[in-house]
Amino acid sequence: KPGWSFTDVLGIIQKATQIPAAIDTDVNAAALSEAMWGAGQDLANVVYFTIGTGIGGGCTVNGKPLHGLIHPEMGHMRIPHNRQTDPFNGICPFHQDCFEGLASGPAINARWGIPAESLPSDHPAWALEAEYIALALHNIICTHSPQKIILGGGVMQQAHLFPLIRHNVQTLLNNYVLS
């Protein structure tokens, strides 16, 4: 933010409250909150996605938020994009057709010309949305092996999406032969 460069925000908060504090991303905070008090309670390894005006993901590993070289940008993971069935280019200013570029609320609006919350539950948008979400979850299952994936955000207010996503994920996982 303009004028805030090099401001010791954490120090100011700790001094004012006299309690330990930390700064992290909103999605890591959501993942940690879900693991501590919500749908991932008592699980060490949880992934939380918010799917709405953007797509972000947070992850806990052994009960702590995942950090590394950078914050994991799960919303920008690349997922298969079949341009024959979905010629939409995507809206991400960095990758066009990453997960966020294809499946966020603004992507739904740009592709169909209608906000997600105005689409009827039988609209073909939802089958495509469920497919893209399932592909992203498949990537997360294969790379992070979380005990639970929790989905939140405005787009996920569409309850009819959950069975479609589960079906697509199960179909993708059935393609594996474990030995």
Side-chain angles (χ1 to χ4, degrees), residues 6 32 35 38 40 43 58 68 75 78 80 84 95 106 117 124 130 139 143 151 156:
F6 307 107
L32 188 58
L43 299 176
R78 305 311 297 265
Q84 303 293 358
H95 314 108
E117 62 272 13
N139 284 338
T143 58
L151 303 176
M156 297 313 304

Side-chain angles (χ1 to χ4, degrees), residues 36-53:
M36 292 176 72
W37 304 295
Q41 196 167 6
D42 299 323
L43 299 176
N45 304 308
V46 171
V47 170
Y48 171 85
F49 276 103
T50 183
I51 303 173
T53 56

Side-chain angles (χ1 to χ4, degrees), residues 145-158:
S145 192
Q147 293 166 287
K148 185 176 266 191
I149 299 173
I150 302 161
L151 303 176
V155 171
M156 297 313 304
Q157 298 304 306
Q158 305 293 322

